[in-house]
Amino acid sequence: MRRSIFFFAYFFICFASFAQREKPVEDHLPTENLEMRKDANKASNKPKRKTYSFIYVPNADKILYGNPCVLEATHKMGFEYLVEPSYLNTSRTWEGKFLNNLWVKTKLVVTRSPFWKVILNRKIKKCRKMTGDLVG
């Protein structure tokens, strides 16, 4: 009798441990908080993840796609170029691309500057000179 009770108790404890969910990786890692007064592992102290808007372009002629300097410059402005040729089956329609690009560019005019494109082209030119990517 004792053995059966012990066996069922042991089985129940083992089964209950399998039912526990694992914590996500973010719970194991500390946050990037450097202040001594605040608890580092609070959800409010987690670094903010920024989502970027996309501007769809048909080819990567003048945007230096893949250059980390240009990618950082566009991320600072809040968007990213996405090369999507129109001949692909999975690409958006031209109306969808146009409306998305119109929305993102309007948002950039309001949040950054009406001259955001001139500023970005100047940064792209500087990145092109710094990385030696003068062709393509």
Side-chain angles (χ1 to χ4, degrees):
M1 181 72 174
R2 283 186 185 173
R3 287 186 183 185
S4 63
I5 292 174
F6 178 77
F7 176 75
F8 284 118
Y10 182 75
F11 179 76
F12 179 76
I13 290 171
C14 290
F15 187 76
S17 67
F18 285 124
Q20 292 178 359
R21 295 178 61 195
E22 280 204 31
K23 293 180 181 179
V25 177
E26 291 88 15
D27 291 345
H28 296 292
L29 298 175
T31 58
E32 298 172 4
N33 183 21
L34 299 177
E35 253 186 75
M36 297 294 275
R37 292 178 282 149
K38 291 185 179 177
D39 183 21
N41 290 325
K42 288 176 69 176
S44 62
N45 292 333
K46 282 187 179 177
K48 305 294 186 263
R49 304 287 185 225
K50 189 168 183 180
T51 57
Y52 299 107
S53 303
F54 293 110
I55 294 181
Y56 295 100
V57 292
N59 52 20
D61 284 345
K62 297 182 180 181
I63 60 171
L64 290 183
Y65 192 74
N67 191 328
C69 179
V70 175
L71 189 66
E72 182 181 338
T74 57
H75 281 184
K76 282 183 182 177
M77 289 191 135
F79 76 97
E80 186 175 337
Y81 284 114
L82 187 65
V83 179
E84 189 173 297
S86 58
Y87 56 83
L88 292 177
N89 291 337
T90 59
S91 66
R92 292 179 173 216
T93 61
W94 70 271
E95 296 96 352
K97 289 179 190 177
F98 174 76
L99 291 175
N100 178 64
N101 290 350
L102 180 68
W103 168 249
V104 173
K105 289 176 182 180
T106 305
K107 189 167 66 168
L108 286 169
V109 165
V110 172
T111 58
R112 296 296 165 194
S113 164
F115 305 107
W116 69 270
K117 188 69 173 175
V118 174
I119 295 167
L120 182 67
N121 284 339
R122 192 176 305 139
K123 288 180 182 179
I124 288 175
K125 195 179 219 181
K126 186 189 289 185
C127 289
R128 181 173 272 180
K129 285 181 183 176
M130 284 175 30
T131 59
D133 193 7
L134 299 175
V135 180

